[in-house]
């Protein structure tokens, strides 16, 4: 695999950083909302000192990058460095957006800022990019505390920053709004990275498993897998059908099973992600 960055990755990184800057300068910083990350630290320091967020951000990011450079691969290091540069430039360019005063509602600002920032991070994470910050802190801390995962360490750092936002502003509500924004950021970025769940798994236990299997193949054009099972109480062997379908096929499959064997036992499970033939490519 080539280590050089692709053109589309650079564009996505630029767009993601611009969205981040808009979220911070237009929605979050005007209300001192600090939803974790190094940007949250920058907002807190900006509240205390009045120093520009872009200057604070790069002042922390560059030393962190230098410390983590040996840990990152060549491609990841390039993406991280570009992410730091793009984010710093975007924060500077959008610096005056806070003067627009889009809304005075702090809750609406935390929600809007969280959505925009979540989209931005989702785009950046999709290309395995980074803008520095708590992910680098997590990587570095993981070397000292290998028993704790990087996401756990990042979550701990973000939680501390959210709490600190309330202490600095001397208003517990600011910390609560920051927590709301952080929650939205995590959820939205997950959706952008992983996509909205569109698949469902059926585990079907029936004596008429062959008839059900043929109906699935003929009517839904889906494959199915036969698993071997055994009843705990009776000790008798059971054949279990495992099939994955899209959301729009759930009702059809329920009706199909009911029509073939009304006494079948069905377990229906939402799937986080389905990859392979008939679904998303791996």
């Amino acid at each position: 695999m080539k280590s050089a960055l692709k053109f589309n990755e650079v564009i996505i990184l630029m767009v993601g950083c611009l969205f981040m800057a808009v979220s911070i300068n237009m929605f979050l910083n005007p209300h001192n909302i600090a939803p974790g990350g190094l940007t949250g630290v920058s907002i807190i320091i900006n509240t205390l000192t009045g120093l520009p967020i872009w200057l604070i951000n790069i002042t922390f990011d560059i030393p962190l990058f230098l410390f983590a450079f040996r840990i990152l691969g060549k491609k990841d290091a390039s993406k991280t460095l570009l992410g730091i540069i793009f984010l710093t430039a975007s924060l500077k360019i959008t610096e005056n957006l806070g003067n627009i005063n889009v809304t005075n509602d702090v809750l609406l600002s935390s929600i809007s800022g969280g959505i925009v920032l979540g989209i931005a991070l989702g785009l950046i994470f999709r290309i395995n990019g980074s803008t520095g910050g708590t992910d680098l802190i997590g990587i570095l801390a993981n070397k000292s505390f290998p028993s704790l995962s990087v996401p756990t360490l990042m979550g701990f750092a973000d939680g501390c920053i959210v709490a600190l936002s309330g202490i600095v502003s001397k208003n517990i509500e600011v910390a609560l709004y920051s927590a709301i924004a952080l929650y939205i950021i995590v959820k939205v970025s997950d959706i952008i990275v992983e996509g909205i769940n569109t698949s469902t798994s059926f585990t079907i236990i029936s004596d008429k498993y062959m008839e059900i299997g043929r109906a699935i193949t003929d009517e839904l054009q889906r494959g199915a897998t036969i698993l071997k099972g055994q009843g705990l109480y009776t000790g008798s062997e059971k054949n279990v059908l495992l099939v994955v379908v899209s959301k729009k096929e759930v009702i059809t499959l329920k009706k199909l099973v009911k029509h073939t064997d009304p006494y079948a036992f069905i377990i229906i499970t939402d799937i986080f992600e389905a990859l392979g033939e008939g679904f998303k490519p791996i």
Side-chain angles (χ1 to χ4, degrees), residues 222-241:
R222 291 287 186 188
T225 301
I226 298 176
L227 307 176
K228 296 295 182 181
Q230 183 177 16
L232 179 64
Y233 181 72
T234 63
S236 60
E237 292 187 355
K238 296 283 186 180
N239 288 305
V240 182
L241 279 177

Side-chain angles (χ1 to χ4, degrees), residues 128-158:
N128 291 320
S130 171
T131 59
T134 49
D135 48 350
L136 291 184
I137 294 174
I139 291 170
L140 291 170
N142 177 253
K143 296 299 177 180
S144 300
F145 305 98
S147 60
L148 298 176
S149 67
V150 173
T152 299
L153 292 164
M154 288 174 61
F156 177 75
D158 287 337

